[in-house]
Amino acid sequence: MNDRSHFTVYSVIFFTSFIIISMEILLVRIFSIKEGQSYAPLIISLALLGNGISGVILGYIRNKIEKNLLEFFIAETFLFTLSIPLSFFLYLAVPLNTLEIIWDVKQIFLFLFHFIILVIPFTTGSLILATGFLFKLKSSNIYFFNMAGSASGAILPLILLHFLSPFWALTVIYFTFISIFFLCLLIWEKKRVFSFLLITVFLSLICYWLTEKLNLISYSPYKAISYALNLPEAKILLTKDTPYGKIELVTAKGLRKVNGLSLIFTGNIPQQKLLYIDGNHCGTFLSSKDKKELEYLKWQSCSFPFYFIENQPERKILLINPSGSESILRGIIFGISNITAIEENKYIASLIEREFSNNNSIKIINTEARKFFKTSIDKFDLIDVSLYDSYATSPILSLNENYLFTVESLYEMYNLLSSDGIISLTRWAIYPGIDAIKIFSSIIEMCERYGIPEYWKKILFIRSHNTVTLCLSKTNLPKENIISLTRKLGFDILYHYTLKKEMLNQYFEESEYLNFNTITNILSEKRIPYIKDFPFDIKPTTDNRPYYHNIFKIKTLKDILSRSLQFLPFNEWGSGILIILVTFTLLSGFILILLPSLFLVSKEKATGCIKLLKSFLYFFLIGNAYFFVEIPLIQKLILFLGRPIYSFSIVLFSMLLFSSIGSLISSKIKEKYQKILLSLLPLILLISLFTVNYLNKILLSASMLSKVLITLLLIAPQALLMGFP
């Protein structure tokens, strides 16, 4: 092979790796819009499964490929570039509802169809990469272009998503890089490659045109925005594609949504403009500023602590992630003139800022909440945490990290309170109500850990028909005001240190789990064994264990099975759907990879058998090594970098980029020195994990650019060594 041929192989490997990683990231975003759930673990499983299947295929036809290596390489490239638009179009054209997969047999077959067509591009792409190793080229160079392409593919989609929808980002990446693909291959064989290019472009254009024409990338009918758009005179006022999700502002005749409203409220509710991210309701904007029309804001459970500072304009309140104008207007109608709102989403922050541009007493700050807690020198009389953080871009929250409700974060909030300040947190009271219980458990742990005196006298827990509001004060909360207010507003007291049993359940029936007995047990001396024996996971969340929404335990499964399986997708156990899908993927891996591999090994002679087993074990261990290094780093760096998407992209980019450099330079380092360097790898990994915790304590307030550079420096040493083939 000459230098031009080397360039062609390396280029095809680079761009194949690029497209595979880009496709993974963009499919996660497309799934969020189309299915109502990102199913990120499923997408990663599909990519890994395709990788494994390609290895099995190569094992069976390797001899044939080696005889006609060039022809196979060109054919594989053609199949890969053609499989992407065809698979994508068929996935969109054939409807699937994963929420019905448990009881509708038809959905199982549709999922199987989707599964097969989506794994094909990952299989054909991985086959190109595997075939690249059959060329007589340095393996270190092939690893370099493979990992460098993957690293680039982890970053470009993030940039494009600031300007384009996931569909158009995928379209731009696809057509740009298939052009480069075929230009590289034209060096080898012009006539056949040019024919392949024409066929691919023609079929791809048809697929993408039909996708756009038939509006196949539409929201699931079960998403909140679908209901809103079915109302009379529905209109989308604003649309913005962002890496965090597609933001839309919708108005419609009769469009109203109010959480935790008292059932005895008899006034009118004005028409609202609702904000959606990926089709899920995440905030409310009100056109009216008339106090009479906004009276309903005083009758929600989250408004309860505002009564303690009503008509005291000198008081200062802090609103965490208000996601609209509703929380700010509540402060205004309660007579508070000094309002600070922290909004982490910069696009939503700009909308809120525009809404209150004429009011100088309202300060909108676009920053991470934890960063603000660390740097603020102000003291607040009320810190109100919005309910809207619980509207995620997917119904499965249990896999999402949340650093706002950890023990450490709650203590940082507590330190921002004035001498008689109050923290107010509103959560859902919908069955089983574990959301509220878990945050109560975290507050008790915080008070115990940091020595808050007589904290049980400073806690108030009230509920409406569908929300609960938990208050933690710096001082004891007065009994008389609380009783009169709950009677006036029609709310039940779940806990106050003076509460008597005859005062329970005045307006609502006691929940099976969210009740006075559960709360008093968590407050008692037997708290630890009680939490351990509780049917759900209600352990306090910490910065080292930030899975606030994860409530699943083996005991939970018994509770699910004792009810109807059809009940599964519509509450906090929605992660069961994901477990079923990933289990199916693992079973497919066993059938499509492990069994054929064992059959292939059994046909080999003893020496060949040992060689194959060593090869399987080698790549198995490499894959697991990257998995167990990347996942903890991604999880740990979410708090430091501020957003999961930043942590995921930067860690993946850094690991792949520096591993590719390590692979490239490894051929220039003598083997004995490589062994010495690799022996230091476990120590470097341990140091990096401890360093992340240290970074969160002292550098959380640093600029984003500084954080990215620090992250690159942190990951570089271990990734370089892991790149040694």
mmCIF file of all heavy atoms in Angstrom, residues 27 30-35 37 39 43 85-96 113-115 117-118 216-217:
data_model
loop_
_atom_site.group_PDB
_atom_site.id
_atom_site.type_symbol
_atom_site.label_atom_id
_atom_site.label_comp_id
_atom_site.label_asym_id
_atom_site.label_seq_id
_atom_site.Cartn_x
_atom_site.Cartn_y
_atom_site.Cartn_z
ATOM 1 N N LEU A 27 -29.132 10.614 18.610
ATOM 2 C CA LEU A 27 -30.257 9.697 18.811
ATOM 3 C C LEU A 27 -30.833 9.824 20.217
ATOM 4 O O LEU A 27 -32.042 9.696 20.417
ATOM 5 C CB LEU A 27 -29.825 8.247 18.554
ATOM 6 C CG LEU A 27 -29.888 7.761 17.102
ATOM 7 C CD1 LEU A 27 -29.375 6.334 17.000
ATOM 8 C CD2 LEU A 27 -31.302 7.841 16.539
ATOM 9 N N ILE A 30 -33.053 12.757 19.949
ATOM 10 C CA ILE A 30 -34.238 12.451 19.138
ATOM 11 C C ILE A 30 -35.198 11.556 19.917
ATOM 12 O O ILE A 30 -36.416 11.738 19.872
ATOM 13 C CB ILE A 30 -33.822 11.808 17.797
ATOM 14 C CG1 ILE A 30 -33.141 12.862 16.909
ATOM 15 C CG2 ILE A 30 -35.022 11.206 17.075
ATOM 16 C CD1 ILE A 30 -32.406 12.302 15.715
ATOM 17 N N PHE A 31 -34.657 10.595 20.669
ATOM 18 C CA PHE A 31 -35.496 9.740 21.508
ATOM 19 C C PHE A 31 -36.231 10.569 22.563
ATOM 20 O O PHE A 31 -37.383 10.283 22.892
ATOM 21 C CB PHE A 31 -34.635 8.672 22.195
ATOM 22 C CG PHE A 31 -34.574 7.369 21.445
ATOM 23 C CD1 PHE A 31 -34.266 7.358 20.099
ATOM 24 C CD2 PHE A 31 -34.814 6.166 22.072
ATOM 25 C CE1 PHE A 31 -34.201 6.170 19.393
ATOM 26 C CE2 PHE A 31 -34.758 4.968 21.384
ATOM 27 C CZ PHE A 31 -34.449 4.966 20.035
ATOM 28 N N SER A 32 -35.562 11.588 23.113
ATOM 29 C CA SER A 32 -36.195 12.438 24.125
ATOM 30 C C SER A 32 -37.430 13.126 23.563
ATOM 31 O O SER A 32 -38.436 13.286 24.252
ATOM 32 C CB SER A 32 -35.209 13.501 24.623
ATOM 33 O OG SER A 32 -34.183 12.919 25.368
ATOM 34 N N ILE A 33 -37.343 13.542 22.310
ATOM 35 C CA ILE A 33 -38.468 14.235 21.673
ATOM 36 C C ILE A 33 -39.532 13.239 21.218
ATOM 37 O O ILE A 33 -40.721 13.409 21.492
ATOM 38 C CB ILE A 33 -37.966 15.062 20.468
ATOM 39 C CG1 ILE A 33 -37.024 16.174 20.955
ATOM 40 C CG2 ILE A 33 -39.129 15.654 19.685
ATOM 41 C CD1 ILE A 33 -36.288 16.887 19.842
ATOM 42 N N LYS A 34 -39.097 12.197 20.556
ATOM 43 C CA LYS A 34 -40.024 11.255 19.926
ATOM 44 C C LYS A 34 -40.690 10.320 20.931
ATOM 45 O O LYS A 34 -41.901 10.115 20.899
ATOM 46 C CB LYS A 34 -39.251 10.437 18.883
ATOM 47 C CG LYS A 34 -40.070 9.402 18.132
ATOM 48 C CD LYS A 34 -40.969 10.025 17.104
ATOM 49 C CE LYS A 34 -41.706 8.947 16.307
ATOM 50 N NZ LYS A 34 -42.739 9.519 15.445
ATOM 51 N N GLU A 35 -39.890 9.749 21.839
ATOM 52 C CA GLU A 35 -40.394 8.718 22.740
ATOM 53 C C GLU A 35 -40.796 9.253 24.108
ATOM 54 O O GLU A 35 -41.456 8.559 24.870
ATOM 55 C CB GLU A 35 -39.336 7.621 22.932
ATOM 56 C CG GLU A 35 -38.826 7.001 21.651
ATOM 57 C CD GLU A 35 -39.878 6.186 20.924
ATOM 58 O OE1 GLU A 35 -40.923 5.889 21.539
ATOM 59 O OE2 GLU A 35 -39.678 5.870 19.747
ATOM 60 N N GLN A 37 -38.493 9.906 26.301
ATOM 61 C CA GLN A 37 -37.433 9.383 27.156
ATOM 62 C C GLN A 37 -36.181 9.241 26.313
ATOM 63 O O GLN A 37 -36.235 8.787 25.178
ATOM 64 C CB GLN A 37 -37.854 8.029 27.733
ATOM 65 C CG GLN A 37 -36.748 7.166 28.299
ATOM 66 C CD GLN A 37 -35.913 7.856 29.337
ATOM 67 O OE1 GLN A 37 -34.770 8.175 29.091
ATOM 68 N NE2 GLN A 37 -36.456 8.100 30.502
ATOM 69 N N TYR A 39 -33.573 7.275 26.785
ATOM 70 C CA TYR A 39 -33.096 5.896 26.680
ATOM 71 C C TYR A 39 -31.608 5.842 26.351
ATOM 72 O O TYR A 39 -31.161 5.022 25.536
ATOM 73 C CB TYR A 39 -33.891 5.126 25.624
ATOM 74 C CG TYR A 39 -35.325 4.884 26.013
ATOM 75 C CD1 TYR A 39 -36.370 5.301 25.195
ATOM 76 C CD2 TYR A 39 -35.644 4.259 27.212
ATOM 77 C CE1 TYR A 39 -37.693 5.093 25.560
ATOM 78 C CE2 TYR A 39 -36.961 4.048 27.581
ATOM 79 C CZ TYR A 39 -37.979 4.465 26.757
ATOM 80 O OH TYR A 39 -39.277 4.256 27.129
ATOM 81 N N ILE A 43 -29.326 3.276 23.872
ATOM 82 C CA ILE A 43 -28.561 3.696 22.694
ATOM 83 C C ILE A 43 -27.116 3.207 22.808
ATOM 84 O O ILE A 43 -26.539 2.681 21.846
ATOM 85 C CB ILE A 43 -28.579 5.233 22.547
ATOM 86 C CG1 ILE A 43 -30.011 5.738 22.328
ATOM 87 C CG2 ILE A 43 -27.681 5.677 21.403
ATOM 88 C CD1 ILE A 43 -30.636 5.302 21.044
ATOM 89 N N PRO A 85 -29.494 6.575 6.863
ATOM 90 C CA PRO A 85 -30.794 7.199 6.552
ATOM 91 C C PRO A 85 -31.940 6.198 6.464
ATOM 92 O O PRO A 85 -33.064 6.504 6.876
ATOM 93 C CB PRO A 85 -30.547 7.884 5.200
ATOM 94 C CG PRO A 85 -29.388 7.174 4.603
ATOM 95 C CD PRO A 85 -28.539 6.744 5.753
ATOM 96 N N LEU A 86 -31.673 4.987 5.933
ATOM 97 C CA LEU A 86 -32.742 3.993 5.808
ATOM 98 C C LEU A 86 -33.228 3.531 7.184
ATOM 99 O O LEU A 86 -34.437 3.447 7.434
ATOM 100 C CB LEU A 86 -32.253 2.794 4.988
ATOM 101 C CG LEU A 86 -32.084 3.025 3.479
ATOM 102 C CD1 LEU A 86 -31.466 1.804 2.813
ATOM 103 C CD2 LEU A 86 -33.427 3.353 2.820
ATOM 104 N N SER A 87 -32.300 3.243 8.088
ATOM 105 C CA SER A 87 -32.677 2.807 9.436
ATOM 106 C C SER A 87 -33.413 3.909 10.180
ATOM 107 O O SER A 87 -34.424 3.669 10.847
ATOM 108 C CB SER A 87 -31.427 2.401 10.231
ATOM 109 O OG SER A 87 -30.802 1.303 9.644
ATOM 110 N N PHE A 88 -32.904 5.126 10.044
ATOM 111 C CA PHE A 88 -33.506 6.268 10.725
ATOM 112 C C PHE A 88 -34.926 6.510 10.226
ATOM 113 O O PHE A 88 -35.854 6.745 11.010
ATOM 114 C CB PHE A 88 -32.629 7.501 10.499
ATOM 115 C CG PHE A 88 -33.063 8.712 11.266
ATOM 116 C CD1 PHE A 88 -33.111 8.690 12.650
ATOM 117 C CD2 PHE A 88 -33.425 9.870 10.606
ATOM 118 C CE1 PHE A 88 -33.510 9.810 13.367
ATOM 119 C CE2 PHE A 88 -33.830 10.997 11.306
ATOM 120 C CZ PHE A 88 -33.871 10.960 12.691
ATOM 121 N N PHE A 89 -35.117 6.422 8.913
ATOM 122 C CA PHE A 89 -36.447 6.638 8.333
ATOM 123 C C PHE A 89 -37.426 5.554 8.784
ATOM 124 O O PHE A 89 -38.571 5.847 9.167
ATOM 125 C CB PHE A 89 -36.354 6.661 6.805
ATOM 126 C CG PHE A 89 -37.696 6.719 6.126
ATOM 127 C CD1 PHE A 89 -38.444 7.886 6.126
ATOM 128 C CD2 PHE A 89 -38.222 5.592 5.509
ATOM 129 C CE1 PHE A 89 -39.693 7.936 5.519
ATOM 130 C CE2 PHE A 89 -39.461 5.633 4.897
ATOM 131 C CZ PHE A 89 -40.199 6.809 4.897
ATOM 132 N N LEU A 90 -37.002 4.292 8.758
ATOM 133 C CA LEU A 90 -37.885 3.192 9.163
ATOM 134 C C LEU A 90 -38.232 3.279 10.646
ATOM 135 O O LEU A 90 -39.362 2.984 11.049
ATOM 136 C CB LEU A 90 -37.219 1.848 8.852
ATOM 137 C CG LEU A 90 -37.125 1.485 7.365
ATOM 138 C CD1 LEU A 90 -36.263 0.249 7.169
ATOM 139 C CD2 LEU A 90 -38.517 1.261 6.781
ATOM 140 N N TYR A 91 -37.265 3.688 11.467
ATOM 141 C CA TYR A 91 -37.533 3.865 12.900
ATOM 142 C C TYR A 91 -38.627 4.908 13.115
ATOM 143 O O TYR A 91 -39.540 4.722 13.930
ATOM 144 C CB TYR A 91 -36.246 4.274 13.624
ATOM 145 C CG TYR A 91 -36.483 5.063 14.883
ATOM 146 C CD1 TYR A 91 -37.044 4.469 16.008
ATOM 147 C CD2 TYR A 91 -36.170 6.420 14.944
ATOM 148 C CE1 TYR A 91 -37.285 5.199 17.161
ATOM 149 C CE2 TYR A 91 -36.405 7.157 16.089
ATOM 150 C CZ TYR A 91 -36.960 6.546 17.195
ATOM 151 O OH TYR A 91 -37.206 7.280 18.327
ATOM 152 N N LEU A 92 -38.557 6.019 12.373
ATOM 153 C CA LEU A 92 -39.539 7.090 12.531
ATOM 154 C C LEU A 92 -40.884 6.731 11.906
ATOM 155 O O LEU A 92 -41.938 7.115 12.417
ATOM 156 C CB LEU A 92 -39.013 8.378 11.892
ATOM 157 C CG LEU A 92 -37.782 9.016 12.548
ATOM 158 C CD1 LEU A 92 -37.279 10.173 11.699
ATOM 159 C CD2 LEU A 92 -38.101 9.498 13.953
ATOM 160 N N ALA A 93 -40.852 5.995 10.801
ATOM 161 C CA ALA A 93 -42.079 5.707 10.055
ATOM 162 C C ALA A 93 -42.941 4.648 10.727
ATOM 163 O O ALA A 93 -44.166 4.640 10.565
ATOM 164 C CB ALA A 93 -41.731 5.270 8.632
ATOM 165 N N VAL A 94 -42.322 3.736 11.475
ATOM 166 C CA VAL A 94 -43.073 2.662 12.147
ATOM 167 C C VAL A 94 -43.282 3.061 13.604
ATOM 168 O O VAL A 94 -42.336 3.104 14.385
ATOM 169 C CB VAL A 94 -42.316 1.321 12.062
ATOM 170 C CG1 VAL A 94 -43.099 0.230 12.783
ATOM 171 C CG2 VAL A 94 -42.072 0.942 10.609
ATOM 172 N N PRO A 95 -44.508 3.391 14.013
ATOM 173 C CA PRO A 95 -44.750 3.913 15.368
ATOM 174 C C PRO A 95 -44.554 2.848 16.444
ATOM 175 O O PRO A 95 -44.876 1.681 16.248
ATOM 176 C CB PRO A 95 -46.213 4.378 15.313
ATOM 177 C CG PRO A 95 -46.834 3.544 14.236
ATOM 178 C CD PRO A 95 -45.748 3.284 13.227
ATOM 179 N N LEU A 96 -44.014 3.279 17.576
ATOM 180 C CA LEU A 96 -43.814 2.402 18.734
ATOM 181 C C LEU A 96 -44.134 3.198 19.990
ATOM 182 O O LEU A 96 -43.730 4.353 20.117
ATOM 183 C CB LEU A 96 -42.357 1.920 18.792
ATOM 184 C CG LEU A 96 -41.896 1.260 20.096
ATOM 185 C CD1 LEU A 96 -42.547 -0.108 20.262
ATOM 186 C CD2 LEU A 96 -40.380 1.135 20.140
ATOM 187 N N PHE A 113 -38.533 -4.865 15.899
ATOM 188 C CA PHE A 113 -38.245 -4.294 14.574
ATOM 189 C C PHE A 113 -37.348 -3.064 14.710
ATOM 190 O O PHE A 113 -36.346 -2.921 14.002
ATOM 191 C CB PHE A 113 -39.557 -3.931 13.879
ATOM 192 C CG PHE A 113 -39.374 -3.226 12.562
ATOM 193 C CD1 PHE A 113 -38.976 -3.920 11.432
ATOM 194 C CD2 PHE A 113 -39.583 -1.853 12.459
ATOM 195 C CE1 PHE A 113 -38.796 -3.272 10.220
ATOM 196 C CE2 PHE A 113 -39.407 -1.198 11.258
ATOM 197 C CZ PHE A 113 -39.017 -1.909 10.131
ATOM 198 N N HIS A 114 -37.707 -2.162 15.628
ATOM 199 C CA HIS A 114 -36.895 -0.959 15.869
ATOM 200 C C HIS A 114 -35.481 -1.339 16.296
ATOM 201 O O HIS A 114 -34.498 -0.724 15.871
ATOM 202 C CB HIS A 114 -37.548 -0.097 16.960
ATOM 203 C CG HIS A 114 -38.640 0.778 16.442
ATOM 204 N ND1 HIS A 114 -38.958 1.992 16.999
ATOM 205 C CD2 HIS A 114 -39.494 0.622 15.402
ATOM 206 C CE1 HIS A 114 -39.958 2.541 16.335
ATOM 207 N NE2 HIS A 114 -40.304 1.724 15.371
ATOM 208 N N PHE A 115 -35.417 -2.328 17.146
ATOM 209 C CA PHE A 115 -34.128 -2.776 17.676
ATOM 210 C C PHE A 115 -33.214 -3.242 16.539
ATOM 211 O O PHE A 115 -32.040 -2.863 16.473
ATOM 212 C CB PHE A 115 -34.377 -3.916 18.664
ATOM 213 C CG PHE A 115 -33.146 -4.414 19.363
ATOM 214 C CD1 PHE A 115 -32.709 -3.818 20.530
ATOM 215 C CD2 PHE A 115 -32.427 -5.480 18.850
ATOM 216 C CE1 PHE A 115 -31.577 -4.275 21.178
ATOM 217 C CE2 PHE A 115 -31.297 -5.946 19.481
ATOM 218 C CZ PHE A 115 -30.867 -5.342 20.654
ATOM 219 N N ILE A 117 -33.424 -2.589 13.213
ATOM 220 C CA ILE A 117 -33.040 -1.571 12.224
ATOM 221 C C ILE A 117 -32.070 -0.541 12.807
ATOM 222 O O ILE A 117 -31.238 0.008 12.084
ATOM 223 C CB ILE A 117 -34.279 -0.858 11.623
ATOM 224 C CG1 ILE A 117 -35.093 -0.148 12.705
ATOM 225 C CG2 ILE A 117 -35.127 -1.819 10.829
ATOM 226 C CD1 ILE A 117 -36.214 0.706 12.151
ATOM 227 N N LEU A 118 -32.147 -0.289 14.123
ATOM 228 C CA LEU A 118 -31.235 0.688 14.725
ATOM 229 C C LEU A 118 -29.851 0.104 15.001
ATOM 230 O O LEU A 118 -28.868 0.848 15.073
ATOM 231 C CB LEU A 118 -31.832 1.240 16.026
ATOM 232 C CG LEU A 118 -32.980 2.238 15.865
ATOM 233 C CD1 LEU A 118 -33.561 2.616 17.219
ATOM 234 C CD2 LEU A 118 -32.534 3.492 15.121
ATOM 235 N N LEU A 216 -42.376 13.236 10.586
ATOM 236 C CA LEU A 216 -42.212 12.010 11.367
ATOM 237 C C LEU A 216 -41.565 12.258 12.726
ATOM 238 O O LEU A 216 -41.735 11.467 13.646
ATOM 239 C CB LEU A 216 -41.383 10.993 10.571
ATOM 240 C CG LEU A 216 -42.045 10.457 9.289
ATOM 241 C CD1 LEU A 216 -41.127 9.472 8.591
ATOM 242 C CD2 LEU A 216 -43.388 9.805 9.602
ATOM 243 N N ILE A 217 -40.783 13.358 12.834
ATOM 244 C CA ILE A 217 -40.208 13.676 14.146
ATOM 245 C C ILE A 217 -41.200 14.575 14.876
ATOM 246 O O ILE A 217 -41.100 15.796 14.860
ATOM 247 C CB ILE A 217 -38.832 14.359 14.021
ATOM 248 C CG1 ILE A 217 -37.861 13.443 13.293
ATOM 249 C CG2 ILE A 217 -38.276 14.692 15.398
ATOM 250 C CD1 ILE A 217 -36.448 13.935 13.244
#
